[in-house]
Amino acid sequence: MSRVKNKYPAGFISLTAITLLCTAVYIVTTVSPVLESWSEHLFGLSSDLSLPSVLWQPFTYAFFHASPLHLFFNLAVIYVFGRSIVLFGNGKYLLPIFAAGSLAGAFFYIVFYGLMLGRSSLLVGASAGALALALATAVSTPKIRVDILGFARMAVIPLTVAVVVLSSVGLAGGNFGGAIAHLGGIAAGIGAGAIIRRKNTLVNERIAVLRKELDRLRRRIDISGYESLDENERQRFIYLSSIFS
């Protein structure tokens, strides 16, 4: 397993697993209408907090989809933004972001749609997790251009806005509960993106400080020779040189 992790960049395996799992679940559950209905009622998210299904439905509903278009749109968003997260070195956050977005979507759906509005229905789809990935990408790396399935490249901010607008159509249509869940994914993505950007800023600042320290030690060596360094400075020089070699 460690060899597999070393072969691929962080987050690649998670991105592949999410894509394959959603696809496999859709194929298996559409074999028959009976199986599809049974699986959606068991693993889809119910807004009425029925026990014991409420214990697992917030974790399983994201891997079920209502139609091929529903599946394709979500997987396209997951791939486009998930790939960008991986390529820009934030791959270790991909699965936590997707999970946080899905759980936030479930929370919004149950609280605002089920409890506050008193409506009862089933929710399926990875839209909340997909939107979390989109918003996290836009917030953490707002200046990048994103590859759109190999067809074109587009600035991440307008692309994210377009995705959010398309996913919010349900606010004025028949998928009001789904649109509320989307808001949960959006909120989770914004929060995750802000955290990642802050962490990356701190890391970059730390790297800059270490580079300056290494440059200072190199200048001393150039001017006065390696012998001019005391034992602590020599160990520090060796350590910093190994980092930036």
Side-chain angles (χ1 to χ4, degrees):
M1 185 65 180
S2 60
R3 292 181 180 179
V4 175
K5 289 183 178 179
N6 292 332
K7 185 177 180 180
Y8 299 102
F12 176 85
I13 295 176
S14 297
L15 178 60
T16 304
I18 292 170
T19 302
L20 292 178
L21 185 56
C22 287
T23 303
V25 167
Y26 183 77
I27 292 173
V28 170
T29 56
T30 53
V31 170
S32 73
V34 175
L35 179 60
E36 183 176 10
S37 176
W38 175 83
S39 59
E40 284 188 0
H41 280 80
L42 182 62
F43 298 108
L45 181 63
S46 174
S47 59
D48 59 9
L49 290 175
S50 57
L51 290 172
S53 58
V54 71
L55 300 177
W56 65 77
Q57 287 180 348
F59 300 94
T60 59
Y61 82 97
F63 300 103
F64 291 77
H65 289 82
S67 68
L69 182 61
H70 188 205
L71 175 67
F72 174 79
F73 180 81
N74 282 341
L75 292 187
V77 174
I78 289 170
Y79 175 79
V80 168
F81 291 97
R83 182 173 179 271
S84 296
I85 289 174
V86 171
L87 292 178
F88 282 88
N90 296 317
K92 64 181 179 181
Y93 302 115
L94 189 149
L95 186 58
I97 293 171
F98 179 80
S102 298
L103 290 174
F107 177 81
F108 272 52
Y109 179 71
I110 291 172
V111 173
F112 296 107
Y113 187 75
L115 296 180
M116 295 183 66
L117 296 180
R119 299 187 183 183
S120 178
S121 65
L122 283 173
L123 177 69
V124 294
S127 300
L131 286 169
L133 292 174
L135 270 296
T137 304
V139 172
S140 62
T141 49
K143 297 181 180 180
I144 68 170
R145 296 180 67 83
V146 177
D147 181 76
I148 307 174
L149 302 178
F151 295 110
R153 292 178 64 82
M154 184 175 179
V156 67
I157 297 298
L159 178 60
T160 303
V161 170
V163 169
V164 170
V165 170
L166 286 173
S167 68
S168 300
V169 172
L171 284 171
N175 189 25
F176 187 65
I180 290 178
H182 295 172
L183 296 178
I186 291 170
I190 292 173
I195 293 172
I196 293 172
R197 187 171 186 177
R198 176 58 178 164
K199 285 186 175 181
N200 288 344
T201 299
L202 292 174
V203 169
N204 291 335
E205 290 174 351
R206 179 58 177 164
I207 290 174
V209 170
L210 294 177
R211 282 188 180 277
K212 288 182 180 179
E213 183 181 358
L214 178 60
D215 291 341
R216 179 180 60 80
L217 293 173
R218 283 174 173 168
R219 285 195 297 270
R220 281 188 56 188
I221 292 173
D222 291 339
I223 296 172
S224 306
Y226 186 73
E227 294 74 15
S228 64
L229 303 180
D230 61 31
E231 184 60 29
N232 289 334
E233 289 174 328
R234 291 179 184 181
Q235 293 298 322
R236 190 67 175 166
F237 176 75
I238 294 172
Y239 169 70
L240 293 174
S241 297
S242 68
I243 294 177
F244 297 108
S245 61

